[in-house]
């Protein structure tokens, strides 16, 4: 008793020959089906090259086109030849020219000898598997497919939708329950001969000739009729990408393949010399005696699929330009924008860094320079502080900063002095947390000692800019988490407001903020606003600020009461 | 920006490129088709400027990967260049020697896998060598994967340490990607350029291991629909005053060639524009690489001086005068937050190159 190998070959005949000799050396007879599309000269040379081997035969050639019946027809003739010419074969292993045995043939033979009546064929009903592409699962069995999916896609799709519209359905032969699965199986002589010698076979063949991709369903369906014991898995390791195309294994997959403990893998790249050398020249192949364990490979390849499906958010690069009008998201991680805080508090930046443990920048979009944390000239990855470079593409500046600091939350200050071009981008970004104390731009004006006429004009300009910004933040399109206080409102209860912002940044802390940032001395600020009003410029963004009165809660130095003992 | 209290719809502002109406886009594509034809005709006429010095093209096999390059006085870089690309799996090199005065010609003639043409015509009038290379690509490139680089560019791509170019192109063909985009990374030394020691034949990246990992600005080119990337050390050091003129870093060096293709401006753009569209707008499916740009070897100082006199390079503006002037003095480009190059995995992690759907290893 032994295992017979049926090999379907269409390219890389030299590699196929190498593998055939390996099978034969392991004591397995091989029947080869060569695609009729292979030129006669190449075929003849291939046959001649293998003529010295007694247990290799060539079956009748069929034209194999992907998704068509030819592949099944080729498999059938080769299997018939195998069963007829090699009577001691108890299992037939279906392989392709790009399959590579990873473990010694003896181990495979022993594995199958221990399970004499088991059929290893992946076989699942259409309703239960998500493998199918193009939305064709059960319809593979009920529609007609006269056109090629690869070369006549429009006709193919058109004909399918026409049949759907008309409500056309083919009848599935009595007793058949459509199953699908990997094309690469290993069937026992009992099951395979029952399939091939079934008196109803002409009817089944006629039906499957018009099923789409019959090589994934013909044996998978019919095996269910006869098999005593189906192990619904393939002994051949084969990975598919999200489009359903098989992944190719290269030289640098060597260790991965060795650890898989699988018997056979496909597809192997014909030029992967190291793989062929290692696994065919004996000593390199795996000697474990254990069950195949493709789990590890599954996980690693799932990563690639995951990348394919989700991408890397907020990354711009050669070959990638994420563009999603409605989501608006251009950044890779959450960040916080503070407007008006550094104008109101002397030490807001160090205070915030200490309370939250985040990276706190100054005015990143400031007019004179990019105020990186610590006022570095080049931030992470040599991002320069030149405002000209930033303003050439402010959106990209922000995306770059956030991409290159992943894992560390970034905070920065913003205000009406800064480049306003970024406003919509930030407002539309769900990653942004924006806290605004409106009207604080007046504090630095109040502190300077300039001509009042200049101050008045400057105040009018800044108020207009901030108002425009606020209207963006309040627009229904905004996706950022926005909090806006007027200055008067904020200084009523600053600690509560700060607590809300910090909690949201760090994710609810149990800890109350103990230390407050130092607020600038605002004595006389009310009068300053009144003077502006008297000049006809009405500062309204700071809310109703009491005339010439310092905010009540301002931390005043209170003398400790004497204790008399 | 909207008026007070009323914000306009933001969406006109957020489109990366204004998708022109179908008809006007069709017209544009039609104009570009003629542009491509003009380029091809122009190149074929320039073919007469090329004098064959060493023609081994009969040895090119159907599946060979070819490399096309124009050189001028690159004797210093070429030994490593040839070695590096042979290791990646280039089967045949097609060189155009533009009036070298050092030993470049002799060095190239000694190689078995090099075909050499020479010309002493104007580099600038040949669209900076593109016309010459297009003529060669038209003649020899069809059906091959063709790599077009400069002598100071080393191509890296995901897992290039363990996978050859043939592995990459097989995988790209499998998923239907016929052009590889690559971003140029300007490599620089730890100290002033004048202090760098480099011996011909050594890996130049050993001498210039640093690059900027951050600060690349990307936009979509409205005409050619490719990504236009600017940034890197030249941008931050030389072009702060006029960032829009900073060097373009996007290239399409590796293309499954068709004799009807034509590069537009160096290898920054290629026609037809459909080759630019291996671009992910949402998920990640396309592979991309990087060109390690070893411009800042000490020889740049001498070349910059020559450049100031020769005026054969792109724009001859004051900006570039200043640029060459500074380079001739051997500046120190290094900053503390720059990144040191290790291998292709680093670039994948940094998001500078993409694995696309390449299988993991």
């Amino acid at each position: 008793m032994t295992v017979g190998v049926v090999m379907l070959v269409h390219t890389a005949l030299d590699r196929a020959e190498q593998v055939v000799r390996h099978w034969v050396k392991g004591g397995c007879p091989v029947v080869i089906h060569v695609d009729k599309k292979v030129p006669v000269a190449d075929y003849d040379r291939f046959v001649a090259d293998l003529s010295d081997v007694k247990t290799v035969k060539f079956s009748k050639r069929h034209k194999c086109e992907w998704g068509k019946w030819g592949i099944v027809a080729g498999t059938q003739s080769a299997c018939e030849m195998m069963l007829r010419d090699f009577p001691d074969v108890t299992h037939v292993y279906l392989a392709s020219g790009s399959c590579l045995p990873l473990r010694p043939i003896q181990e495979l033979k022993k594995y199958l000898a221990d399970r004499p009546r088991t059929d290893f064929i992946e076989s699942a009903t259409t309703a239960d598997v998500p493998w199918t592409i193009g939305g064709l699962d059960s319809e593979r069995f009920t529609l007609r497919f006269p056109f090629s999916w690869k070369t006549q896609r429009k006709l193919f799709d058109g004909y399918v939708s026409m049949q759907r519209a008309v409500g056309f359905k083919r009848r599935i032969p009595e007793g058949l329950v459509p199953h699908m699965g990997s094309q690469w199986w290993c069937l026992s002589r009992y099951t395979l001969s029952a399939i091939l010698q079934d008196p109803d076979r002409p009817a089944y063949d006629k039906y499957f000739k018009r099923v789409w991709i019959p090589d994934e369903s013909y044996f998978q369906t019919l095996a269910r009729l006869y098999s005593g014991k189906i192990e619904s898995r393939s002994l051949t390791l084969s990975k598919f990408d999200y489009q359903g195309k098989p992944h190719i294994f290269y030289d640098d997959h060597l260790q991965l393949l060795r650890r898989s403990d699988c018997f056979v893998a496909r597809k192997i790249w014909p030029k992967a010399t190291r793989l062929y050398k290692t696994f065919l020249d004996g000593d390199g192949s795996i000697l474990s005696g254990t069950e195949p364990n493709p789990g590890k490979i599954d996980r690693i390849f799932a990563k690639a699929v995951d990348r394919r499906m989700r991408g890397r958010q907020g990354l711009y690069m050669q070959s990638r330009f994420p563009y999603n009008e409605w989501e608006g998201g251009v950044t890779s991680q959450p960040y916080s924008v503070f407007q008006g805080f550094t104008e109101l508090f002397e030490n807001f930046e160090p205070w915030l860094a200490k309370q939250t443990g985040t990276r706190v920048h100054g005015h990143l979009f400031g007019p004179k320079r990019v105020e990186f944390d610590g006022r570095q000239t080049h931030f992470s990855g040599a991002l320069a502080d030149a405002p000209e470079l930033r303003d050439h593409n402010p959106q990209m500046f922000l995306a770059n900063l956030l991409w290159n600091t992943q894992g560390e939350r970034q905070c920065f200050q913003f205000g009406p002095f800064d480049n306003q071009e970024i406003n919509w981008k930030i407002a539309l970004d769900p990653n942004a947390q924006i806290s605004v104390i409106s009207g604080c731009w007046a504090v630095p004006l109040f502190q300077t000692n300039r001509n009042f006429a200049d101050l008045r004009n400057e105040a009018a300009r800044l108020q207009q800019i901030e108002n425009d910004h606020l209207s963006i933040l309040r627009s229904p399109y905004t996706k950022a988490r926005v909090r806006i206080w007027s200055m008067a409102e904020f200084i009523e209860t600053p600690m509560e407001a700060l607590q809300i912002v910090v909690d949201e940044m760090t994710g609810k802390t149990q800890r109350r903020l103990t230390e407050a940032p130092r607020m600038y001395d605002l004595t006389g600020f009310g009068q300053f606003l009144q003077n502006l009003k008297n000049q006809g410029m009405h500062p309204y963004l700071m809310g109703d600020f009491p005339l010439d009165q310092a905010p009540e809660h301002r931390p005043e130095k209170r003398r400790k009461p004497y204790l008399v003992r | 920006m909207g008026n007070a209290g009323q914000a306009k719809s933001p969406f006109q502002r957020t489109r990366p490129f204004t998708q022109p109406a179908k008809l006007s886009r069709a017209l544009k594509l039609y104009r570009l088709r003629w542009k491509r034809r003009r380029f091809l005709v122009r190149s074929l006429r320039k073919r007469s400027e090329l004098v064959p010095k060493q023609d081994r093209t009969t040895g090119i096999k159907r599946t060979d990967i070819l490399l096309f390059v124009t050189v001028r006085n690159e004797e210093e870089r070429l030994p490593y260049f040839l070695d590096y690309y042979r290791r990646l799996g280039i089967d045949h090199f097609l060189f155009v020697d533009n009036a070298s005065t050092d030993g470049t010609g002799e060095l190239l003639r000694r190689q078995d896998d090099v075909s050499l043409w020479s010309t002493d015509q104007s580099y600038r009038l040949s669209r900076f060598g593109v016309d010459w290379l297009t003529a060669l690509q038209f003649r020899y490139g069809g059906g091959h994967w063709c790599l077009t680089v400069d002598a100071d560019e080393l191509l890296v791509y995901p897992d290039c340490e363990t996978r050859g170019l043939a592995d990459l192109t097989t995988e790209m063909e499998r998923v239907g990607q016929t052009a590889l985009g690559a971003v140029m990374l300007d490599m620089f030394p730890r100290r002033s350029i004048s202090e760098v020691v480099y011996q011909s034949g050594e890996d130049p990246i050993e001498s210039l291991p640093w690059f900027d990992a951050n600060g690349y600005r990307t936009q979509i080119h409205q005409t050619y629909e490719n990504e236009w990337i600017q940034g890197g050390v030249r941008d931050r050091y030389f072009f702060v005053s006029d960032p829009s003129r900073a060097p373009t870093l996007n290239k399409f060096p590796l293309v499954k060639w068709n004799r009807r293709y034509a590069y537009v401006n160096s290898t920054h753009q290629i026609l037809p524009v459909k080759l630019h569209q291996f671009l992910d707008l949402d998920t990640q499916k396309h592979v991309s690489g990087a060109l390690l740009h070893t411009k800042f070897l000490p020889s740049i100082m001498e070349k910059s001086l020559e450049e100031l006199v020769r005026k054969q390079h792109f724009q001859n503006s004051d900006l570039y005068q200043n640029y060459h002037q500074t380079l001739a003095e051997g500046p120190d480009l290094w900053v503390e937050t720059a990144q040191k190059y290790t291998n292709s995995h680093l670039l994948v992690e940094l998001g500078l190159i993409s694995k696309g759907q390449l299988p993991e290893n």
Side-chain angles (χ1 to χ4, degrees):
Chain A
M1 56 162 289
T2 183
V3 180
V5 176
V6 166
M7 189 182 279
L8 308 181
V9 179
H10 66 107
T11 53
L13 300 182
D14 50 333
R15 285 298 184 195
E17 185 194 332
Q18 229 181 322
V19 177
V20 166
R21 288 185 184 279
H22 182 72
W23 283 115
V24 169
K25 211 169 89 187
C28 298
V30 180
V31 175
I32 304 172
H33 174 265
V34 182
D35 188 347
K36 206 167 191 177
K37 282 189 284 188
V38 173
V40 178
D42 292 353
Y43 175 73
D44 289 345
R45 195 171 336 117
F46 184 48
V47 175
D49 285 348
L50 280 166
S51 57
D52 59 318
V53 194
K54 289 282 174 306
T55 51
V56 171
K57 304 218 166 203
F58 290 84
S59 69
K60 177 170 178 279
R61 295 170 70 191
H62 296 261
K63 199 170 144 204
C64 299
E65 194 185 335
W66 184 83
K68 294 290 188 114
W69 173 251
I71 301 176
V72 180
T75 313
Q76 285 177 334
S77 358
C79 289
E80 280 169 344
M81 183 182 248
M82 173 67 76
L83 296 180
R84 190 185 65 226
D85 295 355
F86 299 100
D88 58 341
V89 163
T90 51
H91 269 96
V92 174
Y93 200 111
L94 182 63
S96 79
S98 55
C99 286
L100 180 66
L102 304 183
R103 288 169 65 170
I105 310 292
Q106 297 313 321
E107 285 209 10
L108 174 66
K109 285 163 91 172
K110 178 166 184 307
Y111 187 85
L112 291 173
D114 292 346
R115 299 158 179 80
R117 289 288 289 270
T118 310
D119 298 299
F120 294 90
I121 180 166
E122 193 177 53
S123 158
T125 54
T126 52
D128 306 328
V129 284
W131 298 323
T132 51
I133 311 142
L136 286 170
D137 36 42
S138 60
E139 285 176 325
R140 290 180 179 207
F141 300 99
T142 56
L143 300 183
R144 285 169 182 274
F145 302 94
F147 300 108
S148 159
W149 189 73
K150 281 204 168 151
T151 55
Q152 302 166 299
R153 182 75 65 90
K154 279 199 175 140
L155 282 171
F156 182 97
D157 289 344
Y159 200 61
V160 164
S161 46
M162 195 186 84
Q163 293 176 76
R164 281 178 185 158
V166 174
F168 173 83
K169 279 226 159 111
R170 296 183 66 202
R171 201 181 55 80
I172 300 172
E174 199 82 26
L176 287 193
V177 182
H179 280 69
M180 282 171 11
S182 165
Q183 183 191 351
W184 311 106
W185 42 252
C186 176
L187 293 176
S188 64
R189 170 178 279 267
Y190 173 84
T191 307
L192 187 57
S193 58
I195 291 172
L196 294 175
Q197 291 155 14
D198 191 316
D200 287 337
R201 186 177 142 191
Y204 295 153
D205 284 6
K206 187 169 167 235
Y207 167 75
F208 273 102
K209 265 177 196 168
R210 302 207 183 285
V211 164
W212 192 44
I213 322 186
D215 48 309
E216 289 183 358
S217 58
Y218 180 81
F219 290 98
Q220 289 72 2
T221 303
L222 294 178
R224 288 280 167 188
L225 293 182
Y226 307 106
S227 177
K229 188 170 180 226
I230 283 189
E231 276 273 312
S232 181
R233 62 186 163 98
S234 174
L235 293 179
T236 303
L237 171 73
S238 174
K239 298 304 304 173
F240 292 89
D241 66 8
Y242 83 107
Q243 284 178 313
K245 291 181 184 158
H247 270 301
I248 299 173
F249 291 107
Y250 297 93
D251 272 346
D252 56 359
H253 289 119
L254 177 63
Q255 292 309 323
L256 202 63
L257 290 174
R258 291 183 75 147
R259 283 198 300 264
S260 74
D261 291 337
C262 290
F263 288 108
V264 178
R266 87 180 289 274
K267 289 169 103 162
I268 307 295
W269 193 45
K271 290 188 191 165
T273 316
R274 212 166 121 225
L275 291 185
Y276 278 98
K277 206 169 152 50
T278 311
F279 290 112
L280 295 187
D281 291 355
D283 56 339
S285 48
I286 322 159
L287 272 166
S288 61
T290 56
E291 279 283 331
N293 174 25
K296 185 166 177 85
I297 291 196
D298 282 343
R299 281 191 294 280
I300 282 179
F301 277 80
K303 263 205 241 164
V305 174
D306 192 49
R307 253 195 345 246
R308 164 66 187 84
M309 302 309 281
R310 289 199 286 122
R312 298 164 88 182
Q313 204 201 348
L315 170 63
Y316 292 77
M317 64 193 293
Q318 175 79 48
S319 81
R320 176 171 173 78
F321 198 90
Y323 163 51
N324 196 332
E325 198 170 32
W326 288 98
E327 289 301 321
V330 295
T331 52
S332 51
Q333 61 164 343
Y335 57 100
S336 304
V337 185
F338 293 91
Q339 180 155 340
F341 288 72
T342 41
E343 284 74 21
L344 194 56
F345 298 106
E346 281 175 47
N347 61 340
F348 181 70
E349 288 177 38
W351 174 85
L352 185 67
K354 192 176 163 201
Q355 295 296 327
T356 59
T358 56
R359 175 76 75 165
V360 184
H361 303 280
H363 286 261
L364 283 185
F365 291 89
K368 293 217 177 60
R369 60 176 294 195
V370 180
E371 297 181 354
F372 289 122
D373 178 30
R375 304 301 178 261
Q376 310 171 41
T377 53
H378 295 88
F379 192 61
S380 170
L383 187 62
D385 73 341
E388 293 90 346
L389 297 180
R390 173 199 67 200
D391 293 345
H392 187 230
N393 196 334
Q395 172 194 345
M396 208 55 68
F397 169 82
L398 183 61
N400 281 336
L401 175 81
L402 292 166
W403 171 261
N404 280 282
T405 52
Q406 280 185 94
E408 179 190 59
R409 192 183 179 105
Q410 306 290 308
C411 306
F412 62 92
Q413 319 302 324
F414 197 75
F417 321 97
D418 299 348
N419 184 348
Q420 302 290 307
E421 239 183 82
I422 193 73
N423 289 356
W424 266 122
K425 282 292 169 195
I426 296 182
L428 289 172
D429 187 353
N431 275 330
Q433 179 206 21
I434 308 175
S435 313
V436 182
I437 314 175
S438 66
C440 284
W441 42 265
V443 177
L445 294 186
F446 158 64
Q447 287 159 339
T448 56
N449 186 14
R450 285 159 65 188
N451 270 340
F452 195 76
D454 295 345
L455 288 181
R456 183 207 171 283
N457 291 341
E458 180 69 356
R461 188 179 74 87
L462 295 174
Q463 175 150 276
Q464 180 63 46
I465 293 173
E466 184 165 75
N467 191 46
D468 288 346
H469 186 197
L470 293 183
S471 62
I472 289 175
L473 295 180
R474 288 181 177 125
S475 86
Y477 305 109
T478 293
K479 292 224 169 55
R481 277 170 302 159
V482 179
R483 279 202 179 72
I484 302 171
W485 298 269
S486 71
M487 193 175 155
E489 205 181 340
F490 186 86
I491 59 180
E492 283 294 310
T493 54
M495 285 312 278
E496 261 174 55
L498 287 172
Q499 183 83 45
I500 293 172
V501 174
V502 169
D503 282 354
E504 195 178 273
M505 276 171 69
T506 53
K508 281 290 173 204
T509 48
Q510 284 80 28
R511 197 163 58 86
R512 303 290 304 167
L513 291 174
T514 48
E515 189 191 335
R518 268 196 316 283
M519 201 182 284
Y520 282 111
D521 182 5
L522 293 179
T523 317
F525 184 65
Q527 186 58 51
F528 173 75
L529 295 182
Q530 186 57 46
N531 291 348
L532 284 174
K533 280 186 196 162
N534 296 345
Q535 293 279 328
M537 188 272 153
H538 273 244
Y540 53 89
L541 287 176
M542 38 300 273
D544 283 331
F545 210 86
L547 180 72
D548 207 12
Q549 187 195 337
E552 274 166 22
H553 73 281
R554 192 166 68 84
E556 285 172 11
K557 282 189 190 127
R558 295 243 306 264
R559 195 165 287 186
K560 277 186 187 163
Y562 282 108
L563 285 178
V564 183
R565 281 192 179 154
Chain B
M1 219 59 46
N3 293 324
Q6 264 255 296
K8 273 189 210 150
S9 162
F11 293 116
Q12 261 164 350
R13 307 176 56 85
T14 61
R15 302 187 74 101
F17 56 108
T18 43
Q19 187 77 54
K22 270 190 179 165
L23 180 65
S24 64
R25 182 161 186 272
L27 276 175
K28 183 188 83 176
L29 292 182
Y30 185 69
R31 278 199 305 274
L32 288 178
R33 169 183 287 199
W34 277 101
K35 185 166 197 167
R36 178 169 55 79
R37 288 172 178 161
R38 279 201 305 277
F39 282 149
L40 287 174
V41 169
R42 181 192 159 104
S43 305
L44 295 182
R45 282 171 40 197
K46 292 261 176 189
R47 193 162 50 178
S48 60
E49 295 180 2
L50 297 176
V51 183
K53 292 282 175 184
Q54 184 73 262
D55 191 346
R56 294 196 172 92
T57 51
T58 47
I60 297 177
K61 292 188 293 296
R62 200 172 50 84
T63 56
D64 279 0
I65 302 179
L66 311 179
L67 186 145
F68 295 82
V69 55
T70 303
V71 290
R72 176 187 171 80
N73 292 345
E74 292 290 1
E75 194 184 13
E76 184 185 33
R77 285 193 179 86
L78 281 179
Y80 186 79
F81 178 89
L82 291 166
D83 188 40
Y84 180 82
Y85 282 111
R86 273 184 198 130
R87 252 186 294 135
L88 280 192
I90 292 291
D91 299 292
H92 199 85
F93 295 83
L94 296 95
F95 274 86
V96 173
D97 177 10
N98 182 204
S100 292
T101 50
D102 63 357
T104 299
E106 291 74 61
L107 190 151
L108 289 175
R109 243 171 295 178
R110 285 200 301 273
Q111 317 293 326
D112 296 333
D113 50 0
V114 167
S115 293
L116 176 67
W117 288 261
S118 83
T119 178
D120 46 14
Q121 298 291 317
S122 163
Y123 182 63
R124 189 164 53 84
L125 291 181
S126 166
R127 292 193 293 135
F128 314 105
V130 173
D131 282 337
W132 299 326
L133 293 186
T134 306
L136 292 182
Q137 279 153 346
F138 185 87
R139 172 79 176 75
Y140 302 105
H144 292 275
W145 279 93
C146 292
L147 182 63
T148 310
V149 289
D150 289 341
D152 58 0
E153 293 171 344
L154 301 174
L155 177 72
V156 294
Y157 48 86
D159 294 321
C160 60
E161 292 82 9
T162 52
R163 282 181 199 163
L165 274 172
D167 300 34
L168 176 74
T169 53
T170 308
E171 196 60 25
M172 284 170 67
E173 279 189 50
R174 192 181 71 84
V175 298
Q177 183 180 346
T178 54
L180 179 83
V183 61
M184 272 212 283
L185 298 179
D186 292 331
M187 311 301 289
F188 51 87
R190 171 71 182 77
R191 283 174 233 291
S192 144
I193 291 177
S194 54
E195 290 174 49
V196 174
V197 182
Y198 177 73
Q199 290 292 321
S200 181
E202 289 173 0
D203 179 0
I205 305 303
E206 300 273 321
S207 305
L208 313 171
W210 297 86
F211 66 100
D212 283 13
N214 198 350
Y216 294 92
R217 304 186 298 277
T218 310
Q219 54 188 310
I220 299 288
H221 195 291
Q222 297 296 336
T223 308
Y224 295 108
E225 301 176 6
N226 64 312
E227 267 183 302
W228 179 12
I229 305 177
Q230 294 173 299
V233 66
R234 280 182 288 170
D235 179 61
R236 72 167 156 82
Y237 198 90
F238 299 102
F239 290 90
V240 166
S241 59
D242 195 356
S244 59
R245 313 253 337 237
T248 302
L249 302 182
N250 49 284
K251 288 205 165 184
F252 281 95
L254 183 63
V255 176
K256 176 81 185 273
W257 203 261
N258 180 312
R259 53 195 284 161
R260 284 174 301 195
Y261 292 172
Y263 280 118
V264 179
N265 187 349
S266 174
T267 58
H268 297 312
Q269 290 119 356
I270 187 169
L271 288 174
V273 294
K274 67 174 184 194
L275 292 168
H276 294 150
Q277 288 164 0
F278 301 112
L279 183 61
D280 304 336
L281 296 181
D282 44 9
T283 58
Q284 189 179 352
K285 53 193 164 202
H286 295 114
V287 58
S288 62
L291 292 165
L292 305 183
H293 194 202
T294 62
K295 191 182 182 68
F296 297 129
L297 287 178
S299 51
I300 185 71
M301 299 163 58
E302 198 183 317
K303 285 195 179 177
S304 290
L305 277 180
E306 189 192 326
E307 210 62 53
L308 284 170
V309 185
R310 190 160 158 257
K311 299 192 177 180
Q312 281 276 302
H313 226 283
F314 293 88
Q315 301 93 336
N316 291 318
S317 65
D318 293 346
L319 203 62
Y320 272 82
Q321 289 283 333
N322 191 13
Y323 169 69
H324 289 305
Q325 190 69 52
T326 317
L327 274 181
E329 289 156 16
D332 180 2
L333 307 170
W334 187 82
V335 293
E336 202 169 339
T337 47
Q339 182 80 44
K340 192 169 182 178
Y341 183 79
T342 53
N343 55 31
S344 65
H345 300 279
L346 174 73
L347 298 187
V348 173
E349 281 308 306
L350 288 171
L352 289 167
I353 65 177
S354 166
K355 280 194 115 159
Q357 303 170 66
L358 291 184
E360 301 284 333
N361 64 351

